[in-house]
Coordinates of all heavy atoms in Angstrom, one line a residue:
G1 N 0.8 -1.2 -0.1 CA 0.0 0.0 0.0 C 0.8 1.3 0.0 O 0.4 2.3 -0.5
K2 N 2.2 1.1 0.6 CA 3.0 2.3 0.6 C 3.8 2.5 -0.7 O 4.6 3.4 -0.9 CB 4.0 2.2 1.7 CG 3.3 2.5 3.1 CD 3.3 4.1 3.2 CE 2.9 4.5 4.6 NZ 2.9 6.0 4.7
G3 N 3.5 1.6 -1.6 CA 4.3 1.7 -3.1 C 5.4 0.6 -3.1 O 6.0 0.6 -4.2
L4 N 5.6 -0.3 -2.2 CA 6.7 -1.2 -2.3 C 6.2 -2.4 -3.2 O 4.9 -2.7 -3.3 CB 7.0 -1.9 -1.0 CG 7.7 -0.9 0.1 CD1 8.0 -1.6 1.4 CD2 8.8 -0.2 -0.5
S5 N 7.1 -3.0 -3.9 CA 6.8 -4.2 -4.6 C 6.7 -5.3 -3.6 O 7.1 -5.3 -2.5 CB 7.7 -4.4 -5.8 OG 8.9 -4.8 -5.2
V6 N 6.1 -6.5 -4.2 CA 6.2 -7.7 -3.4 C 7.6 -8.1 -2.9 O 7.7 -8.4 -1.9 CB 5.4 -9.0 -4.2 CG1 5.6 -10.2 -3.3 CG2 4.0 -8.6 -4.4
L7 N 8.4 -8.0 -3.9 CA 9.8 -8.4 -3.7 C 10.4 -7.5 -2.7 O 11.2 -7.9 -1.8 CB 10.6 -8.3 -5.0 CG 12.1 -8.8 -5.0 CD1 12.4 -10.1 -4.3 CD2 12.8 -8.6 -6.1
E8 N 10.2 -6.1 -2.8 CA 10.7 -5.2 -2.0 C 10.3 -5.3 -0.5 O 11.1 -5.3 0.5 CB 10.6 -3.7 -2.4 CG 11.3 -3.3 -3.6 CD 10.8 -2.1 -4.2 OE1 9.6 -1.7 -4.0 OE2 11.5 -1.4 -5.0
A9 N 9.1 -5.6 -0.3 CA 8.5 -5.9 1.0 C 9.1 -7.2 1.6 O 9.4 -7.1 2.8 CB 7.0 -5.9 0.9
G10 N 9.2 -8.2 0.8 CA 9.8 -9.4 1.3 C 11.3 -9.1 1.6 O 11.6 -9.7 2.7
L11 N 12.0 -8.5 0.8 CA 13.4 -8.2 1.1 C 13.6 -7.5 2.4 O 14.6 -7.7 3.1 CB 14.1 -7.5 -0.1 CG 14.5 -8.4 -1.2 CD1 15.0 -7.6 -2.4 CD2 15.5 -9.6 -0.9
M12 N 12.7 -6.5 2.7 CA 12.8 -5.9 4.0 C 12.7 -6.7 5.1 O 13.5 -6.6 6.1 CB 11.8 -4.7 4.0 CG 12.0 -3.8 5.3 SD 10.6 -2.6 5.5 CE 11.2 -1.3 4.3
S13 N 11.8 -7.6 5.0 CA 11.7 -8.6 6.2 C 13.0 -9.6 6.3 O 13.3 -10.0 7.3 CB 10.5 -9.4 6.1 OG 9.3 -8.7 6.5
I14 N 13.6 -9.9 5.1 CA 14.8 -10.6 5.0 C 16.0 -9.9 5.6 O 16.8 -10.4 6.5 CB 15.1 -11.3 3.6 CG1 13.9 -12.1 3.2 CG2 16.4 -11.9 3.6 CD1 14.1 -12.6 1.8
L15 N 16.1 -8.6 5.1 CA 17.3 -7.9 5.5 C 17.2 -7.2 6.9 O 18.3 -7.1 7.5 CB 17.6 -7.0 4.3 CG 17.9 -7.5 2.9 CD1 18.1 -6.5 1.9 CD2 19.2 -8.5 3.0
V16 N 16.1 -6.7 7.1 CA 15.9 -6.0 8.4 C 15.6 -6.9 9.5 O 16.1 -6.9 10.6 CB 14.9 -4.9 8.2 CG1 14.8 -4.0 9.6 CG2 15.4 -3.9 7.1
F17 N 14.5 -7.8 9.1 CA 14.0 -8.6 10.2 C 13.8 -8.1 11.6 O 14.5 -8.6 12.6 CB 14.9 -9.9 10.3 CG 14.3 -11.0 11.1 CD1 13.1 -11.4 10.9 CD2 15.1 -11.6 12.1 CE1 12.3 -12.5 11.7 CE2 14.5 -12.7 12.9 CZ 13.1 -13.0 12.7
A18 N 13.1 -7.0 11.6 CA 12.8 -6.3 13.0 C 11.4 -5.7 12.7 O 11.2 -4.7 12.2 CB 13.8 -5.3 13.3
G19 N 10.5 -6.5 13.3 CA 9.0 -6.1 13.0 C 8.7 -4.6 13.5 O 8.2 -3.7 12.7
G20 N 9.1 -4.3 14.7 CA 8.9 -2.9 15.1 C 9.5 -1.8 14.3 O 8.9 -0.8 13.9
A21 N 10.8 -2.0 14.0 CA 11.5 -1.0 13.0 C 10.8 -1.0 11.7 O 10.8 0.1 11.1 CB 12.9 -1.4 13.0
Q22 N 10.4 -2.1 11.1 CA 9.8 -2.2 9.8 C 8.5 -1.4 9.8 O 8.3 -0.7 8.8 CB 9.6 -3.6 9.4 CG 10.9 -4.3 9.1 CD 10.6 -5.8 8.7 OE1 11.3 -6.8 9.3 NE2 9.8 -6.0 7.8
F23 N 7.7 -1.6 10.7 CA 6.4 -0.8 10.9 C 6.7 0.6 11.1 O 6.0 1.5 10.5 CB 5.6 -1.3 12.0 CG 4.7 -2.6 11.7 CD1 5.2 -3.8 12.0 CD2 3.6 -2.4 10.8 CE1 4.3 -5.0 11.8 CE2 2.7 -3.4 10.5 CZ 3.2 -4.8 10.8
A24 N 7.6 1.1 11.9 CA 8.1 2.5 12.0 C 8.5 3.1 10.7 O 8.2 4.3 10.4 CB 9.2 2.6 13.0
A25 N 9.2 2.2 9.9 CA 9.8 2.7 8.7 C 8.6 2.9 7.7 O 8.6 4.0 7.0 CB 10.6 1.8 8.0
L26 N 7.6 2.1 7.8 CA 6.3 2.4 6.9 C 5.6 3.6 7.2 O 5.1 4.4 6.4 CB 5.4 1.2 6.9 CG 5.8 -0.1 6.3 CD1 4.6 -1.1 6.3 CD2 6.2 0.1 4.7
E27 N 5.6 4.0 8.6 CA 5.0 5.2 9.1 C 5.7 6.4 8.6 O 5.0 7.5 8.2 CB 4.9 5.2 10.6 CG 4.1 4.2 11.2 CD 2.6 4.6 10.9 OE1 2.2 5.9 10.9 OE2 1.8 3.6 10.7
L28 N 7.0 6.3 8.3 CA 7.9 7.4 7.9 C 8.0 7.5 6.2 O 8.6 8.4 5.8 CB 9.1 7.5 8.6 CG 9.3 7.5 10.2 CD1 10.6 7.3 10.6 CD2 8.8 9.0 10.6
W29 N 7.4 6.5 5.7 CA 7.8 6.3 4.3 C 7.2 7.3 3.4 O 5.9 7.3 3.3 CB 7.4 4.8 3.9 CG 8.2 4.4 2.6 CD1 7.6 4.6 1.3 CD2 9.4 3.7 2.5 NE1 8.6 4.0 0.4 CE2 9.5 3.5 1.2 CE3 10.2 3.2 3.4 CZ2 10.8 2.7 0.6 CZ3 11.3 2.5 2.9 CH2 11.5 2.4 1.6
T30 N 7.9 8.2 2.8 CA 7.4 9.1 1.8 C 8.4 9.1 0.7 O 9.4 8.6 0.7 CB 7.3 10.5 2.5 OG1 8.6 10.9 3.0 CG2 6.2 10.5 3.6
Y31 N 8.1 10.0 -0.3 CA 9.0 10.1 -1.5 C 9.3 11.6 -1.6 O 8.4 12.4 -1.6 CB 8.4 9.6 -2.8 CG 8.1 8.1 -2.8 CD1 7.0 7.5 -2.4 CD2 9.2 7.3 -3.1 CE1 6.9 6.1 -2.4 CE2 9.0 5.9 -3.2 CZ 7.7 5.3 -2.7 OH 7.7 4.0 -2.8
P32 N 10.6 12.0 -1.6 CA 11.8 11.0 -1.5 C 11.9 10.4 -0.1 O 11.5 11.0 0.9 CB 13.0 12.1 -1.7 CG 12.5 13.3 -1.3 CD 11.1 13.4 -1.7
V33 N 12.5 9.3 -0.1 CA 12.6 8.6 1.3 C 13.6 9.2 2.2 O 14.7 9.6 1.8 CB 13.1 7.1 1.0 CG1 13.2 6.3 2.3 CG2 12.3 6.3 0.0
P34 N 13.0 9.5 3.4 CA 13.9 10.2 4.5 C 14.9 9.2 5.1 O 14.6 8.7 6.2 CB 12.9 10.7 5.4 CG 11.7 9.7 5.4 CD 11.7 9.3 3.9
I35 N 16.0 9.1 4.4 CA 17.0 8.0 4.8 C 17.4 8.3 6.2 O 17.5 7.3 7.1 CB 18.1 8.0 3.9 CG1 17.6 7.7 2.4 CG2 19.2 7.0 4.4 CD1 17.1 6.3 2.3
L36 N 17.8 9.5 6.5 CA 18.3 9.7 7.9 C 17.4 9.5 9.0 O 17.6 8.9 10.1 CB 18.9 11.2 8.0 CG 20.1 11.5 7.2 CD1 20.5 13.0 7.4 CD2 21.4 10.6 7.7
A37 N 16.1 9.8 8.8 CA 15.0 9.7 9.8 C 14.7 8.2 9.9 O 14.6 7.6 11.1 CB 13.8 10.3 9.3
L38 N 14.8 7.4 8.8 CA 14.5 6.0 8.9 C 15.7 5.2 9.7 O 15.4 4.4 10.5 CB 14.4 5.3 7.5 CG 13.2 5.7 6.7 CD1 13.3 5.1 5.3 CD2 12.0 5.0 7.3
A39 N 16.9 5.6 9.4 CA 18.1 5.1 10.0 C 18.1 5.4 11.5 O 18.4 4.5 12.3 CB 19.4 5.6 9.4
F40 N 17.8 6.5 11.8 CA 17.7 6.9 13.3 C 16.7 6.3 14.1 O 16.8 5.7 15.2 CB 17.6 8.5 13.5 CG 17.5 8.8 14.9 CD1 18.6 8.9 15.7 CD2 16.3 9.4 15.4 CE1 18.5 9.3 17.0 CE2 16.2 9.7 16.8 CZ 17.4 9.6 17.5
S41 N 15.4 6.1 13.5 CA 14.3 5.5 14.2 C 14.7 3.9 14.2 O 14.4 3.4 15.3 CB 13.1 5.7 13.4 OG 13.1 5.1 12.1
T42 N 15.2 3.3 13.2 CA 15.7 2.0 13.4 C 16.7 1.8 14.5 O 16.6 0.7 15.2 CB 16.2 1.4 12.0 OG1 15.2 1.7 11.0 CG2 16.6 0.0 12.0

């Protein structure tokens, strides 16, 4: 729903594997992606 592909959503769970951080990332997900905010929240 945030614009990720099936592969991208799956890869996030493989590479990050942290449910709380992943949901927080979706809350912050906009375009352009706020990389620093995502990294800090994670």
